[in-house]
Amino acid sequence: MAVNISSIEVLRSFSPLRAGNSTQLLAAPPLSRIIIRGGRSVGRRCSGKLRPDLVKSGLSCRAMIGEAEEKIEEDDVNLLDDSAADSQVQERDYTGTAYVPVYVMLPLGTINMECELVDPDNLINQLRILKSINVDGVMVDCWWGIVEAHAPQQHNWSGYRKLFQIVRHLDLKLQVVMSFHECGGNVGDDVHIPLPRWAMEIGSTNPDIFFTDKEGRRNHECLTWGIDKQRVLKGRNALEVYFDYMRSFRVEFNEFFEDGFISEIEIGLGPCGELRYPSYPANHGWEYPGIGEFQCYDKYLMESLKEAAEVRGHSIWGRAPDNAGSYNSKPQDTRFFCDGGDYDGHYGRFFLKWYSSVLVDHADRVLAMANIAFEETPVAVKLSGIHWWYKTASHAAELTAGFYNPANRDGYAPIASILKKREATLNFTCVELRTMDQHEDFPEALADPEGLVWQVLNAAWDVGLPVASENALPCYDKEGYDKILETSKPISDPDGRHLSAFTYLRLTPQLMEEQNFTEFERFVKRLHGELVANLQCHQEQEEETITLD
């Protein structure tokens, strides 16, 4: 049957999309990115991999329809091609823009539980390929649960030494993460690395060393910030444990610091190495886009809360909210987070200020230790992108995570101020996410990752803080890379501000596939400000399919 192309509605104008407090103009997708089903056009997000049941790479429109045993008249095909060409959006040329270094995270299991380097030959080959496209370096987690696994202050760095020697031999730089958290149970985790055995043994008799929810469930991802100054870890407090670990690393790898091979140390400050409370743990039943729960019910944090309430003159406030719902609640289902809820009352403001100040104070204390341990080496802090419920008044998911950022308050300015004080770079996630995609996939979440990204970046840039970033989820497609580039080098910024570095998550077999790696190479060149040829030709390779009911 023939398709009446004239019945296809092609949006060539701009349509406004509400994003946070501003209106952004988004170009409608070109016709080549529209699927036609029975004459109805449906926008489709680029996933980086075409559906194998619909298309084979390189086939023309006629061949694709032929496989579906349908026929499109020649005039219709020509008209379709002309329309697609007319609606192509000019790709931005980043030639000559600022050079943004690119790092690639190594696999989580690069070092095993015996602190041995896993499959070094394969790793060397992959690193050589990364070097061939001028990737600047790699990032690796130095796991507390591996290095200090068996006994306090007995550090084994042997596998990391072998890894560092390989990376340095290939003339790549290194970002190192001081990973004081558990690995396993989160998105993308394919290995399990618990906290040190001796710390877990302490926790078996004193479970209050872990973050705790209102039901009394303990979270073993990391130690509660309530013991930062409590000597409950075999004579040491948590700050002393972190400092001894960082100092041991600095002494062990002194020559790598001296020659500048280690370019940055990222300090793990919470679950997933991020500065936040473990408010949305999957192993406690949380599912996206649940608001999460407050994590302050261990005895040490509860004592801190009671003390703060007494100082405030309202001892009755020395408790956590009892009307804040559960992990998978929606804001409007709770009396605390709903519009006009208790979060914005006298008690709510007191509690949230205390809860967030514990987070900020923890960052301040640990970074002070890091500045001593690493001297002149740059340090960084990773901040998670809690973008769901951002379009509500309370920003409930941010509040339970420790970011006191409701619609009437900037919760990221105090964090930026502390990082500035400690001369730390802010590393922010979720820069590849688009608000429009979130509206399509999870409209009930009222998410706004773009609005959140710009709030956090501007809070940091306003105090002169360097900002780096990484993607929150695996990314192999041009659409995701384009979004990262837009954020890395904002075209409308009058001061020419840009990211100080970008770290790609993560080195996988999928990244090394030919099509994915070619796209990644183009991305690296553009972040570096280099010339990328055939921009329009590359767009034409992103064909979408036309299917008929």
Side-chain angles (χ1 to χ4, degrees):
M1 65 180 264
V3 177
N4 182 4
I5 301 297
S6 62
S7 68
I8 301 172
E9 181 180 358
V10 182
L11 301 176
R12 294 182 182 172
S13 61
F14 289 88
S15 57
L17 172 68
R18 200 71 188 164
N21 296 322
S22 62
T23 301
Q24 297 181 344
L25 294 180
L26 301 177
L31 187 57
S32 61
R33 301 183 67 135
I34 298 291
I35 299 177
I36 304 164
R37 294 190 178 95
R40 183 173 62 90
S41 61
V42 182
R44 177 166 174 248
R45 195 160 41 118
C46 177
S47 63
K49 187 174 182 181
L50 299 179
R51 286 176 52 188
D53 59 324
L54 296 180
V55 65
K56 294 183 179 179
S57 178
L59 293 180
S60 65
C61 288
R62 180 178 293 281
M64 286 187 282
I65 298 302
E67 282 197 328
E69 297 182 352
E70 298 288 351
K71 179 182 178 183
I72 295 181
E73 295 179 354
E74 189 67 31
D75 290 343
D76 292 339
V77 174
N78 292 336
L79 180 55
L80 178 61
D81 290 341
D82 291 341
S83 299
D86 289 342
S87 59
Q88 289 281 356
V89 178
Q90 178 68 38
E91 184 177 59
R92 181 181 168 192
D93 184 2
Y94 289 87
T95 306
T97 58
Y99 185 100
V100 176
V102 181
Y103 291 78
V104 176
M105 294 185 200
L106 295 184
L108 293 170
T110 298
I111 304 293
N112 64 22
M113 289 301 299
E114 286 69 44
C115 203
E116 300 168 336
L117 179 60
V118 177
D119 198 2
D121 291 338
N122 181 54
L123 179 63
I124 290 171
N125 290 335
Q126 291 179 322
L127 293 180
R128 283 174 173 163
I129 294 173
L130 293 178
K131 181 63 178 178
S132 72
I133 63 169
N134 295 320
V135 164
D136 296 88
V138 295
M139 173 182 276
V140 62
D141 292 273
C142 279
W143 295 102
W144 180 37
I146 291 177
V147 174
E148 198 177 353
H150 304 295
Q153 301 188 71
Q154 292 186 13
H155 303 102
N156 174 16
W157 300 103
S158 57
Y160 288 103
R161 175 165 287 278
K162 293 180 181 178
L163 171 64
F164 292 2
Q165 289 171 341
I166 290 172
V167 176
R168 181 169 63 177
H169 179 73
L170 295 173
D171 195 27
L172 290 165
K173 296 289 186 179
L174 189 65
Q175 294 175 328
V176 181
V177 184
M178 299 285 101
S179 297
F180 296 112
H181 61 284
E182 175 191 55
C183 177
N186 291 295
V187 175
D189 291 351
D190 54 6
V191 299
H192 181 238
I193 303 171
L195 300 186
R197 185 182 308 167
W198 60 269
M200 296 300 294
E201 290 173 352
I202 294 173
S204 65
T205 58
N206 181 13
D208 286 289
I209 69 171
F210 302 116
F211 283 105
T212 307
D213 65 16
K214 65 182 179 181
E215 301 296 332
R217 289 171 291 194
R218 314 292 183 168
N219 189 305
H220 297 157
E221 290 184 78
C222 59
L223 301 178
T224 173
W225 305 329
I227 63 170
D228 276 0
K229 296 182 179 181
Q230 302 288 334
R231 287 196 168 90
V232 295
L233 301 174
K234 295 188 179 297
R236 295 185 295 167
N237 60 38
L239 285 179
E240 291 168 332
V241 169
Y242 302 146
F243 177 73
D244 290 344
Y245 184 86
M246 292 186 288
R247 181 176 59 182
S248 173
F249 179 87
R250 179 63 179 81
V251 171
E252 175 71 23
F253 297 108
N254 180 64
E255 71 270 26
F256 296 100
F257 284 92
E258 294 294 330
D259 63 13
F261 162 68
I262 296 177
S263 61
E264 183 179 83
I265 302 291
E266 185 172 285
I267 312 300
L269 295 175
C272 297
E274 299 169 339
L275 177 59
R276 64 174 175 85
Y277 287 87
S279 57
Y280 49 98
N283 60 354
H284 286 173
W286 175 84
E287 294 180 357
Y288 183 85
I291 61 175
E293 291 188 15
F294 293 114
Q295 304 288 316
C296 58
Y297 291 86
D298 64 84
K299 68 179 182 182
Y300 303 104
L301 287 181
M302 289 307 296
E303 289 172 0
S304 171
L305 176 57
K306 291 176 182 177
E307 181 180 346
E310 290 173 359
V311 171
R312 182 69 168 76
H314 298 281
S315 57
I316 194 174
W317 287 354
R319 57 175 178 81
D322 58 5
N323 57 358
S326 57
Y327 286 113
N328 294 314
S329 296
K330 298 178 180 179
Q332 293 304 115
D333 295 337
T334 75
R335 294 202 313 275
F336 190 81
F337 295 116
C338 67
D339 292 347
D342 291 349
Y343 80 93
D344 204 27
H346 294 295
Y347 159 72
R349 291 196 296 270
F350 160 77
F351 172 78
L352 292 171
K353 184 177 180 180
W354 168 82
Y355 191 71
S356 62
S357 69
V358 171
L359 175 147
V360 173
D361 290 345
H362 172 71
D364 188 23
R365 289 191 292 261
V366 178
L367 288 175
M369 298 294 100
N371 289 158
I372 296 172
F374 298 119
E375 301 173 305
E376 301 300 321
T377 302
V379 297
V381 171
K382 183 178 177 182
L383 204 63
S384 56
I386 313 295
H387 55 79
W388 51 105
W389 305 116
Y390 190 86
K391 284 181 171 289
T392 63
S394 64
H395 292 218
E398 291 172 272
L399 298 186
T400 59
F403 306 134
Y404 189 9
N405 190 53
N408 59 354
R409 188 179 189 276
D410 185 356
Y412 296 99
I415 297 173
S417 178
I418 286 297
L419 299 190
K420 177 67 174 180
K421 171 186 173 183
R422 298 302 179 187
E423 299 181 322
T425 294
L426 170 62
N427 182 17
F428 195 60
T429 63
C430 81
V431 292
E432 83 282 13
L433 302 182
R434 293 181 181 273
T435 296
M436 181 171 62
D437 294 339
Q438 295 298 313
H439 288 178
E440 292 175 353
D441 296 341
F442 300 98
E444 71 279 10
L446 296 176
D448 186 6
E450 294 180 60
L452 173 63
V453 166
W454 283 116
Q455 181 188 356
V456 174
L457 264 59
N458 283 310
W461 281 337
D462 284 348
V463 297
L465 192 67
V467 181
S469 191
E470 62 187 52
N471 48 309
L473 299 173
C475 179
Y476 306 113
D477 62 275
K478 180 179 178 297
E479 185 176 80
Y481 289 140
D482 282 349
K483 183 58 188 173
I484 295 170
L485 284 158
E486 290 171 14
T487 306
S488 301
K489 305 176 183 184
I491 192 171
S492 59
D493 194 304
D495 301 313
R497 298 178 296 188
H498 55 84
L499 294 183
S500 60
F502 179 80
T503 303
Y504 176 83
L505 180 154
R506 146 182 340 266
L507 180 58
T508 62
Q510 289 78 16
L511 175 64
M512 307 307 283
E513 293 175 2
E514 183 176 0
Q515 180 179 347
N516 291 341
F517 195 75
T518 298
E519 194 68 67
F520 180 67
E521 180 180 9
R522 297 184 74 256
F523 170 66
V524 172
K525 287 181 179 294
R526 297 169 77 191
L527 270 179
H528 284 171
E530 299 174 7
L531 175 66
V532 178
N534 300 321
L535 299 182
Q536 293 298 328
C537 292
H538 181 82
Q539 281 189 324
E540 293 172 2
Q541 295 173 3
E542 291 190 63
E543 294 180 333
E544 288 285 6
T545 65
I546 300 175
T547 63
L548 300 175
D549 290 337

